[in-house]
């Protein structure tokens, strides 16, 4: 096939698939796989080139972490954490806001954001019902905290996994570059939530006593369904996190750490592997595979190189690129799912590497892709999940409700992150 | 903005609906609101008894003492099918003898239990008839609006090592929506 026609088809398939993903009329996995099938069928991505486009590091890291999470979940570990957090808050709305946000951010930095909010939101709704208080600020804080927490580490959010794998960045590099930004941004977002909703966060002392006695009767031990698995899960998760800290010194990939942890936990717990592997989100894995192939088509046809050259024609320095990549990925992430956005941006930044230092740009992409999701209700999966859960429990969070707070938080946190990156890599 | 609500619902359905159902089911096991801590009011209790029931344990008397003032109906049901089978094989006379013996046994059993329940401030009513142990208990619970069923795990037949409750009890609890105490 002639290169120009192939490029035209690749762009058309890419745009149509992304439109299908945004509209959500067709399941995003089906859309991505269909687009991938078209470019493979037409030979735009040659079969031999497939392994280099399918990012195995990302896929295996995701699978490994999903196995660890699904096995640990069976023990009641996360419900245990939720009850403990509720008890520590001692019926104070401010403490509930602060502690749940911090716990959400910490768990999100290790697990995927959707799993984190799925596990913590029921507990948060329960506490707000006990407090007889508007749950919206608490739910929004949880969403923002999960997206911010996910920014902090290599394994916190799929875009970071993809960036880490593509750029060969280590867990510690992520933690040192994005960790401080996430920490500052977390408290910034909490401050904004408090300023906006402070009047809705007051309860009487009598009500607080009632909450204290009810929560006091909760026994976190009730949440543990399997004590042996609970201990093994905690041990394996700690071990895996420790290994992540030293994986670059050991010379092993993060995916290997996750797979090792997963296999150790499966072997040690004696759980039925079929049951656990069934719960791996294969739809997400195939979604990634489809995206990698689609973006591979743009790489194969030279589209990515062309766009990179065009961008470089307008950008004079790394500083300019840092600003453009950060804000472009942030604003786009608020509208489009950050996974397809990151998949498209990675080869673009790689291509720009031929004529400038792109190391700071990886952090700019991570910052924009992860924190841009806070901008709108559809910006990140965690937002959709929390709003969906709230709707099911009779709490309405409209698109505009979210937008009013989300946009402020997105711009504030991205600006702070960009400022910190600028100081670090460009200088004052 | 309705378009966004629909979009979010579609996305939620695709991302996490099933997982959320599973998680909330787990939470429901141990998360109760204060109003859910309150015990349902029990004004009438049905206690079916037979020769398999065995002694009422002390702990059950203690539990029932919480419902002081409620009425307790002690019901003895002679299995119609058993009597019909005896009549077919051994004749009407033998069947009548067995029916009388069963009724006598029921009276003795009620006399043994009733005073103890009375001491707890419960009002005792007695009933005995021929019917189906499972179907009639279910019918009584539903038609007479009893608030609580108290039944021995071996009511209706012996329990086995593989089945901790008798088939009759199993059938009853599967059909009832009201609270049940199995002793």
């Amino acid at each position: 096939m002639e290169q120009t026609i192939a490029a035209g088809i690749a762009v058309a398939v890419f745009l149509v698939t992304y439109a299908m993903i945004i509209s959500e009329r067709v399941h995003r996995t089906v859309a991505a796989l269909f687009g991938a099938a078209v470019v493979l069928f037409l030979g735009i991505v040659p079969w031999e080139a497939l392994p280099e486009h399918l990012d195995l590091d990302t896929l295996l890291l995701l699978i490994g972490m999903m196995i660890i999470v699904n096995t640990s979940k069976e023990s009641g570990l996360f419900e245990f954490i939720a009850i403990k957090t509720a008890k520590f808050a001692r019926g104070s709305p401010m403490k509930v806001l602060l502690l749940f946000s911090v716990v959400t951010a910490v768990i999100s930095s290790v697990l995927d954001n959707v799993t984190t909010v799925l596990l913590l939101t029921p507990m948060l709704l329960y506490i707000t019902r006990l407090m007889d208080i508007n749950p919206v600020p608490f739910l929004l804080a949880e969403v923002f905290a999960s997206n911010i927490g996910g920014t902090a580490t290599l394994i916190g959010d799929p875009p970071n996994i993809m960036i880490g794998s593509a750029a060969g960045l280590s867990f510690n590099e992520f933690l040192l570059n994005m960790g401080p930004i996430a920490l500052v941004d977390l408290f910034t977002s909490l401050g904004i939530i408090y300023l906006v909703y402070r009047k809705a966060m007051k309860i009487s002392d009598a009500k607080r006593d009632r909450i204290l006695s009810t929560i006091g009767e909760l026994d976190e031990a009730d949440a543990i369904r399997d004590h042996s698995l609970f201990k093994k899960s905690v041990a394996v998760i700690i071990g895996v996190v420790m290994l992540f800290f030293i994986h670059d010194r050991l010379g092993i990939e993060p995916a290997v750490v996750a797979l090792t942890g997963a296999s150790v936990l499966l072997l040690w717990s004696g759980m039925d592997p079929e049951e656990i592997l069934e719960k791996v989100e294969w739809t997400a894995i195939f979604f990634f595979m489809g995206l990698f192939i689609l973006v591979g088509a743009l790489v194969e046809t030279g589209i990515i190189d062309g766009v990179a050259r065009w961008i470089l024609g307008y950008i004079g320095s790394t500083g300019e690129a840092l600003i453009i990549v950060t804000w472009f990925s942030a604003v786009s992430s608020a509208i489009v799912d950050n996974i397809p956005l990151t998949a498209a941006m990675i080869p673009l930044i790689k291509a720009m590497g031929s004529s400038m230092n792109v190391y700071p740009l990886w952090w700019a992409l991570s910052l924009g892709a992860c924190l841009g999701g806070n901008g709108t209700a559809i910006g990140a999966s965690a937002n959709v999940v929390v709003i969906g859960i709230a709707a099911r429990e009779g709490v309405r969070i409209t698109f505009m409700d979210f937008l009013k707070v989300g946009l402020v938080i997105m711009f504030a946190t991205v600006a702070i992150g960009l400022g910190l990156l600028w100081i670090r890599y460009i200088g004052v | 903005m309705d378009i966004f609500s629909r979009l979010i619902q579609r996305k939620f359905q695709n991302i996490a609906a099933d997982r959320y159902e599973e998680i909330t089911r787990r939470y429901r096991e141990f998360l109760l609101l204060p109003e859910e801590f309150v015990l349902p009011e029990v004004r009438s209790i049905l206690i079916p008894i037979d020769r398999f029931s065995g002694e009422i344990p002390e702990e059950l008397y203690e539990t029932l003492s919480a419902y002081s003032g409620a009425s307790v109906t002690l019901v003895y049901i002679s299995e119609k099918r058993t009597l019909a089978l005896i009549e077919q094989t051994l004749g009407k006379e033998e069947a009548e003898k067995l029916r009388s013996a069963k009724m006598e046994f029921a009276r003795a059993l009620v006399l043994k239990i009733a005073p103890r329940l009375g001491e707890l401030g419960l009002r005792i009513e007695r009933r005995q008839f021929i019917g189906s142990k499972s179907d009639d208990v279910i019918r009584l619970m539903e038609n007479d609006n009893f608030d609580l069923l108290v039944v021995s795990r071996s009511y209706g037949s012996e329990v086995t090592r593989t089945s901790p409750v008798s088939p009759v009890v199993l059938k009853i609890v599967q059909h009832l929506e009201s609270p049940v105490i199995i002793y």
Side-chain angles (χ1 to χ4, degrees):
Chain A
M1 199 186 295
E2 203 185 312
Q3 187 73 357
T4 318
I5 297 169
I9 293 170
V11 171
V13 171
F14 180 84
L15 293 175
V16 168
T17 306
Y18 271 48
M20 281 159 80
I21 290 168
I22 294 166
S23 77
E24 209 66 42
R25 288 256 167 233
V26 180
H27 194 295
R28 62 184 193 162
T29 303
V30 176
L33 281 178
F34 184 75
V38 170
V39 294
L40 281 170
F41 186 82
L42 295 175
I44 294 169
V45 174
W47 187 250
E48 313 76 61
L50 199 59
E52 75 183 64
H53 295 300
L54 282 178
D55 183 355
L56 267 184
D57 282 358
T58 297
L59 297 174
L60 293 177
L61 178 51
L62 282 167
I63 291 169
M65 289 311 290
M66 283 174 188
I67 292 171
I68 292 171
V69 171
N70 285 325
T71 311
S72 308
K73 217 165 59 179
E74 295 303 312
S75 70
L77 168 66
F78 303 107
E79 290 90 338
F80 174 89
I81 293 168
I83 293 175
K84 270 277 186 208
T85 309
K87 282 186 155 180
F88 272 122
R90 299 190 58 77
S92 154
M94 272 314 298
K95 281 186 184 169
V96 168
L97 183 81
L98 181 71
L99 286 173
F100 265 88
S101 298
V102 170
V103 167
T104 301
V106 171
I107 297 177
S108 276
S109 70
V110 183
L111 309 184
D112 73 284
N113 301 352
V114 168
T115 303
T116 306
V117 296
L118 269 174
L119 288 160
L120 294 177
T121 305
M123 189 71 208
L124 201 50
L125 280 167
Y126 171 76
I127 293 171
T128 52
R129 262 201 294 267
L130 278 182
M131 293 194 291
D132 195 18
I133 202 169
N134 178 13
V136 173
F138 300 90
L139 294 174
L140 291 180
E142 187 194 22
V143 167
F144 301 138
S146 78
N147 290 329
I148 292 167
T151 314
T153 68
L154 170 74
I155 54 170
D157 214 0
N160 284 5
I161 297 174
M162 292 156 82
I163 293 164
S165 166
L169 303 167
S170 73
F171 187 85
N172 287 343
E173 272 179 292
F174 253 100
L175 203 60
L176 291 171
N177 281 280
M178 301 309 289
I181 292 172
L183 193 67
V184 174
D185 279 348
L186 176 65
F187 289 102
T188 304
S189 69
L190 284 174
I192 293 169
I193 293 265
Y194 177 71
L195 284 174
V196 175
Y197 291 102
R198 64 188 180 280
K199 283 177 188 161
M201 287 195 197
K202 288 185 170 61
I203 58 167
S204 65
D205 288 342
K207 207 178 270 180
R208 187 177 299 187
D209 290 342
R210 194 177 71 103
I211 297 159
L212 266 174
S213 69
T214 306
I215 288 188
E217 283 173 31
L218 288 179
D219 186 0
E220 56 272 29
D222 287 346
I224 303 171
R225 290 184 295 278
D226 184 334
H227 284 269
S228 164
L229 181 62
F230 179 88
K231 287 171 192 162
K232 288 167 186 172
S233 300
V234 171
V236 168
I237 289 171
I238 290 170
V240 164
V241 171
M242 291 298 164
L243 273 177
F244 274 128
F245 280 121
I246 55 169
H247 79 90
D248 48 337
R249 265 172 282 165
L250 294 174
I252 53 171
E253 293 300 317
V256 176
V257 173
L259 282 178
T260 305
S263 54
V264 166
L265 190 54
L266 277 175
L267 187 71
W268 196 13
S269 67
M271 291 201 62
D272 181 5
E274 275 192 39
E275 196 185 313
I276 299 298
L277 292 175
E278 241 176 43
K279 288 180 182 169
V280 167
E281 291 157 66
W282 294 110
T283 49
I285 301 299
F286 280 98
F287 175 58
F288 277 91
M289 286 166 73
L291 284 178
F292 291 146
I293 296 166
L294 271 174
V295 174
L298 298 181
V299 173
E300 290 286 335
T301 51
I303 298 288
I304 293 286
D305 272 337
V307 173
R309 273 198 302 275
W310 177 75
I311 290 171
L312 287 167
Y314 289 92
I315 293 175
S317 65
T318 302
E320 275 180 45
L322 191 73
I323 294 167
I324 288 167
V325 169
T326 300
W327 287 113
F328 174 77
S329 52
V331 173
S332 305
S333 274
I335 303 158
V336 188
D337 192 331
N338 60 12
I339 295 166
L341 175 92
T342 310
M345 290 290 287
I346 283 170
L348 204 61
I349 293 174
K350 266 187 175 171
M352 287 161 75
S354 57
S355 54
M356 68 162 59
N357 171 25
V358 291
Y359 185 76
L361 302 190
W362 295 120
W363 308 123
L365 176 60
S366 166
L367 180 74
C370 295
L371 297 184
N374 280 333
T376 67
I378 54 166
S381 297
N383 315 8
V384 170
V385 168
V386 170
I387 294 168
I389 291 173
R392 285 184 173 217
E393 302 300 331
V395 178
R396 195 156 177 265
I397 303 172
T398 65
F399 190 83
M400 287 311 290
D401 288 340
F402 194 100
L403 196 71
K404 282 175 203 166
V405 187
L407 273 185
V408 174
I409 284 186
M410 181 192 100
F411 281 109
T413 54
V414 172
I416 289 167
L418 180 58
L420 291 171
L421 285 178
W422 186 276
I423 291 164
R424 184 164 188 160
Y425 290 106
I426 312 298
V428 184
Chain B
M1 282 302 154
D2 198 40
I3 186 172
F4 286 109
S5 298
R6 285 203 301 274
L7 177 67
I8 287 165
Q9 281 310 314
R10 270 205 305 273
K11 280 170 88 82
F12 176 74
Q13 203 62 32
N14 286 340
I15 297 167
D18 294 344
R19 282 198 287 162
Y20 174 64
E21 295 302 333
E22 188 193 331
I23 288 164
T24 46
R25 255 201 313 275
R26 283 179 186 169
Y27 268 113
R28 244 177 259 134
E29 289 170 16
F30 54 85
L31 281 194
L32 294 169
L33 288 166
E35 54 268 28
E36 291 169 318
F37 277 117
V38 178
L39 288 169
E41 200 181 351
V42 174
R43 290 181 304 272
S44 57
I45 304 168
L46 179 68
I47 308 184
I49 47 174
D50 66 359
R51 67 188 184 84
F52 297 105
S53 297
E55 293 286 317
I56 291 184
E58 204 54 42
E59 295 85 350
L60 182 60
Y61 283 120
E62 277 175 35
T63 305
L64 293 174
S65 68
Y67 307 116
S68 182
S71 75
V72 172
T73 302
L74 291 165
V75 63
Y76 186 100
I77 304 169
S78 299
E79 194 62 58
K80 195 176 179 178
R81 278 181 308 175
T82 312
L83 291 168
L85 203 65
I86 298 290
E87 196 175 323
Q88 281 167 18
T89 50
L90 300 172
K92 208 165 186 164
E93 204 177 318
E94 286 300 320
E96 191 53 40
K97 267 189 204 170
L98 178 69
R99 198 185 66 80
S100 303
K102 277 176 170 281
M103 290 304 171
E104 191 48 48
F105 177 79
R107 267 191 293 276
L109 197 57
V110 169
L111 281 172
K112 193 175 159 190
I113 299 167
R116 187 72 208 278
L117 291 170
E119 285 169 19
L120 303 174
L122 297 158
R123 288 177 290 109
I124 312 299
E125 289 174 23
R126 301 150 201 207
R127 293 177 70 174
Q128 49 191 86
F129 57 86
I130 296 167
S132 161
K133 288 187 186 215
S134 54
D135 295 345
D136 281 315
V137 167
I138 294 164
R139 184 182 52 77
L140 283 171
M141 284 297 294
E142 286 169 354
N143 295 354
D144 297 6
N145 292 323
F146 283 100
D147 298 315
L148 176 69
L149 173 71
V150 177
V151 64
S152 161
R153 64 196 183 97
S154 52
Y155 176 68
S157 71
E158 298 282 0
V159 292
T160 60
R161 214 158 37 85
T162 51
S163 172
V165 294
S166 75
V168 173
V169 175
L170 201 61
K171 183 180 173 183
I172 290 169
V173 295
Q174 280 172 337
H175 283 79
L176 288 184
E177 283 185 15
S178 2
V180 179
I181 294 176
I182 299 176
Y183 63 91

